[in-house]
Amino acid sequence: MRIDSDATIDARMPDLFAMVRLRGAAYLTPVGNADCGDIVEGLPGLAYAAAEIYGLEARVKRLVYRKACRPGTLCVDRGKLCVLGFYNNLEVVRVADFIAPPPAAATFASAVQRSLGIYRHRWGDAIIRRLMLALMGSSVIYLDELAPRSEYCHRQFCVGARGNTRTDKFGQVHAFELAAG
């Protein structure tokens, strides 16, 4: 388990390790998100190529989409390639799955290392881990499934029982929508 030092959980928590183990999940995260544009450049292709070798293309396809925006909204990523992922400011991971991953995930991990995309495009660890989990066929569970009355906050962003909010520098609270997960 890892939680950032600037994150908080406001509620009593069940034993997250036991709950993850009981549900047969490999990963627990507070909430999903998506990375779009330059920060994912080339990454979906590497995941798809690894999946294709083993007939697992559908596992990657369901995580990749082109950004559509609502009319009248500010949208800098319109039409750009996006990959569904999750925030990893809080995570519970079954480490054994990553030590000896199945062949498709291992092929993808090697391709990521060889490509240097982590340095060239700033691919993040969360999005790489999300694609790895998909290639492994591992299940991911979200914090609100285990603790529906909890509220998880990272800096000024909170997700939980009271909805999704962001507090601005003036102390005003604003609602926001999350990427589809």
Side-chain angles (χ1 to χ4, degrees), residues 126-146:
I127 204 71
I128 292 169
R129 194 157 30 260
R130 179 66 183 106
L131 289 164
M132 288 278 295
L133 286 161
L135 289 167
M136 291 189 285
S138 299
S139 67
V140 174
I141 55 176
Y142 295 91
L143 184 60
D144 65 348
E145 295 175 48
L146 301 179

Side-chain angles (χ1 to χ4, degrees), residues 71-175:
T73 61
L74 176 63
C75 182
V76 296
D77 292 328
R78 183 183 315 272
K80 293 188 179 178
L81 193 62
C82 299
V83 179
L84 290 175
F86 35 65
Y87 289 107
N88 66 343
N89 310 103
L90 163 69
E91 59 186 349
V92 176
V93 180
R94 191 169 56 206
V95 176
D97 288 11
F98 291 89
I99 292 173
T107 299
F108 171 64
S110 294
V112 167
Q113 288 177 330
R114 284 191 313 274
S115 74
L116 301 178
I118 292 170
Y119 307 103
R120 291 183 180 139
H121 304 293
R122 299 191 41 81
W123 295 338
D125 62 314
I127 204 71
I128 292 169
R129 194 157 30 260
R130 179 66 183 106
L131 289 164
M132 288 278 295
L133 286 161
L135 289 167
M136 291 189 285
S138 299
S139 67
V140 174
I141 55 176
Y142 295 91
L143 184 60
D144 65 348
E145 295 175 48
L146 301 179
R149 293 197 167 108
S150 69
E151 181 170 76
Y152 164 78
C153 297
H154 182 249
R155 297 186 188 135
Q156 76 273 25
F157 295 95
C158 293
V159 176
R162 293 183 282 169
N164 307 317
T165 62
R166 174 187 60 82
T167 305
D168 67 23
K169 64 182 178 182
F170 305 108
Q172 296 293 316
V173 176
H174 306 276

